[in-house]
């Protein structure tokens, strides 16, 4: 979901929603785009009820579209995240790459990574984190996925950021040693990521990435 464009999300919803749900979505997006002067804004009510109106499986996409149509700024995103349910927070995280061009949304990513809610963690390691999360925090985000059982396939641009990262390799090795010493199994995904940290054969002199 988090790798799709807004256009692709809308096309998907048009394909899967019922006529009633599509009509509701059209009206909700029109309200969001119009920025009605109400308190709270009318589109925020629709943001909250998206799961009931378009189905839980489509709620993330619906909410991302509403946030995009409303051109929600960082202040609005922070408020919706702070006041929202876990599902609403997840949608805010998915919307970050569509709405926040700089690192201003990182506090939301970092907050999600401090939780043990696997769906929030998975949403937090999407394209926005791949673009903006500093190396040290990104490495810990990868370890968080391994610790909580979030598949590393959720980590956007994993190959690009893990490639040749000696510090990440060291951290993965320490994590594996701790698991083994405690008599616990080492996640298979750990070996996948560890393999990605190796420099290509033609790069024997690759330097470690910044900490």
């Amino acid at each position: 979901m988090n790798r799709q464009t807004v256009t692709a999300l809308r096309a998907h919803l048009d394909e899967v929603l019922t006529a009633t749900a599509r009509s509701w979505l059209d009206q909700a997006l029109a309200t969001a785009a119009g920025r009605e002067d109400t308190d709270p804004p009318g589109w925020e009510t629709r943001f909250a009820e998206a799961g009931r109106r378009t189905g839980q499986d489509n709620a993330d996409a619906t909410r991302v579209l509403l946030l995009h149509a409303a051109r929600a700024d960082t202040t609005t995103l922070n408020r919706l995240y702070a006041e929202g349910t876990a599902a609403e927070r997840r949608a805010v995280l998915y919307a970050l790459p569509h709405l926040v061009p700089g690192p201003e949304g990182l506090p939301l990513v970092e907050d999600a990574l401090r939780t043990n809610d696997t769906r929030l963690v998975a949403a937090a390691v999407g394209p926005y984190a791949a673009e903006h999360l500093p190396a040290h925090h990104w490495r810990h985000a990868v370890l968080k996925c391994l610790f909580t059982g979030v598949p590393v396939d959720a980590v956007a641009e994993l190959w690009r950021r893990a490639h040749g990262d000696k510090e990440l390799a060291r951290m993965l090795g320490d994590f594996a040693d701790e698991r083994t010493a405690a008599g616990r199994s080492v996640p298979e995904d750990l070996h996948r990521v560890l393999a990605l940290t190796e420099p290509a054969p033609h790069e024997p002199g690759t330097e470690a990435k910044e900490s």
Side-chain angles (χ1 to χ4, degrees), residues 12 17 48 60 178 191:
H12 171 71
L17 293 181
D60 285 334
E178 291 172 6
H191 300 293

Side-chain angles (χ1 to χ4, degrees), residues 3 19 57 76 151 166 180 194:
R3 291 176 175 82
D57 291 343
T76 300
K166 293 181 180 179
T180 301
L194 190 59

